Amino acid sequence: MDKDEIIKKIKENKTPVFIVSVILVVFIAFSAVRCSAVQESRQAESQPQATASNVVDDEASALNELTDEQKAKQDKYDQETQRFIAVLKANLWATEDKSSLISFTDKTFIERTDQGKSATTAYVIDALKADTSKTDEETVDTYTAATELSDGTHFITLEKHTYSDQNIQYFLISDCFAKSKAQYSPISPSDNITVSGLNQEVLQLFGNDKDNIESTVKNYCAQYLPTYTEFEWAQYATINWEENTITVTFKEKDGNREILALEYNRNTKTMECHSI
């Protein structure tokens, strides 16, 4: 697409889840472990590396959907475009209800939902247009980027609102996002996530590995539930005797809705979270 034609288009598109009682001590004796201790240790150690590898693979797969010409453009951005991308990269963006999240790299953006789904998309910025409007209460700087994805050209609009008290707020919107009509704004992920309520009987079912329980929950929430801080056990457990797994669920502390499930595989000694 010719740059003049892109600028023209920018101007024309300016608007933007069999419950069992927890008295299950007999289950502790049920440990049909099929792997040796050495194998289990290696599997546990490989978990974070596999996760990181998946992220790299997803990005590589997304970039492979671009043409060589599009990839070349990603390495030739001017300073204004680089500054625009720097703002996108510096923030974790979320819809008002926190159900949809977006994070950016130089060449891709990752969309995540509070249901544990994610998708990586490669993007190329063709042209960037800036406008400024002022009132007595605020100054609004609007940046509209004509952006190429594998399925065509879309527009990403970033608004910077500078208020009279010098507070600044950003809003992001695009027809290429999963929620195309929603405004996304920066959020601060929770640094301190706590897991409470688990009694000794349940901890025994999980191999008394409280640290692993907490780290698994924290790692998952950092990606899909970044604004939640306190998780409380919902006071029941679910056992799958055939697969030798046990699952407990958590609700947000002081809340009623169960939002997170943690599954422990007693064969492999591994844990996995998912949203409910």
Side-chain angles (χ1 to χ4, degrees):
M1 184 181 292
D2 181 78
K3 189 170 182 176
D4 292 335
E5 184 181 350
I6 291 168
I7 295 294
K8 180 180 179 181
K9 281 198 172 187
I10 291 175
K11 293 178 179 179
E12 293 173 351
N13 292 270
K14 191 173 181 180
T15 308
V17 180
F18 158 34
I19 297 175
V20 182
S21 170
V22 177
I23 307 173
L24 295 170
V25 179
V26 66
F27 184 71
I28 300 170
F30 181 75
S31 57
V33 180
R34 303 170 186 171
C35 302
S36 70
V38 173
Q39 289 173 321
E40 292 163 356
S41 175
R42 288 176 178 172
Q43 286 174 331
E45 291 173 0
S46 68
Q47 284 292 101
Q49 296 171 350
T51 301
S53 176
N54 288 341
V55 172
V56 174
D57 290 344
D58 288 345
E59 181 166 0
S61 178
L63 289 170
N64 282 339
E65 294 185 10
L66 299 179
T67 66
D68 290 340
E69 182 182 359
Q70 289 173 323
K71 293 175 185 178
K73 290 179 182 179
Q74 292 179 318
D75 298 321
K76 297 178 181 179
Y77 292 141
D78 58 28
Q79 289 188 348
E80 186 178 14
T81 302
Q82 290 176 21
R83 286 193 291 267
F84 174 79
I85 293 175
V87 175
L88 301 182
K89 289 170 51 182
N91 295 284
L92 176 61
W93 304 86
T95 53
E96 186 176 2
D97 60 4
K98 309 298 188 298
S99 65
S100 183
L101 309 166
I102 297 178
S103 59
F104 286 82
T105 70
D106 289 313
K107 300 179 180 182
T108 62
F109 60 84
I110 303 172
E111 295 189 84
R112 300 183 176 95
T113 74
D114 59 0
Q115 294 301 305
K117 298 178 181 179
S118 63
T120 303
T121 303
Y123 70 91
V124 182
I125 295 179
D126 267 333
L128 184 65
K129 180 178 179 290
D131 287 304
T132 300
S133 62
K134 293 183 178 182
T135 67
D136 292 339
E137 289 79 24
E138 64 178 333
T139 298
V140 180
D141 296 304
T142 302
Y143 304 88
T144 306
T147 309
E148 289 184 40
L149 275 58
S150 61
D151 64 351
T153 300
H154 301 263
F155 294 94
I156 296 178
T157 300
L158 174 67
E159 292 184 358
K160 177 185 177 183
H161 293 244
T162 305
Y163 301 98
S164 56
D165 59 2
Q166 298 307 304
N167 283 327
I168 296 175
Q169 189 168 10
Y170 287 96
F171 296 99
L172 189 66
I173 188 170
S174 177
D175 62 336
C176 67
F177 297 159
K179 293 193 174 182
S180 58
K181 297 182 180 180
Q183 280 189 329
Y184 292 72
S185 56
I187 61 170
S188 298
S190 303
D191 294 325
N192 299 312
I193 296 175
T194 61
V195 179
S196 64
L198 292 170
N199 60 29
Q200 192 57 44
E201 287 86 353
V202 172
L203 288 175
Q204 284 180 320
L205 294 174
F206 277 76
N208 287 312
D209 199 348
K210 185 178 180 180
D211 290 342
N212 198 7
I213 290 173
E214 293 181 345
S215 64
T216 302
V217 170
K218 290 178 180 179
N219 290 338
Y220 179 86
C221 292
Q223 295 187 67
Y224 302 107
L225 300 169
T227 61
Y228 289 85
T229 58
E230 297 179 278
F231 292 89
E232 188 174 38
W233 179 41
Q235 300 296 309
Y236 67 88
T238 301
I239 292 178
N240 185 319
W241 298 93
E242 181 179 3
E243 296 182 5
N244 200 13
T245 62
I246 179 169
T247 301
V248 294
T249 61
F250 296 91
K251 58 184 178 180
E252 188 180 15
K253 194 171 183 179
D254 301 324
N256 294 318
R257 186 173 70 94
E258 295 171 28
I259 58 176
L260 186 67
L262 176 66
E263 180 182 282
Y264 177 53
N265 188 313
R266 289 172 56 86
N267 292 331
T268 62
K269 300 290 193 279
T270 57
M271 301 184 194
E272 183 178 334
C273 273
H274 63 83
S275 297
I276 297 177

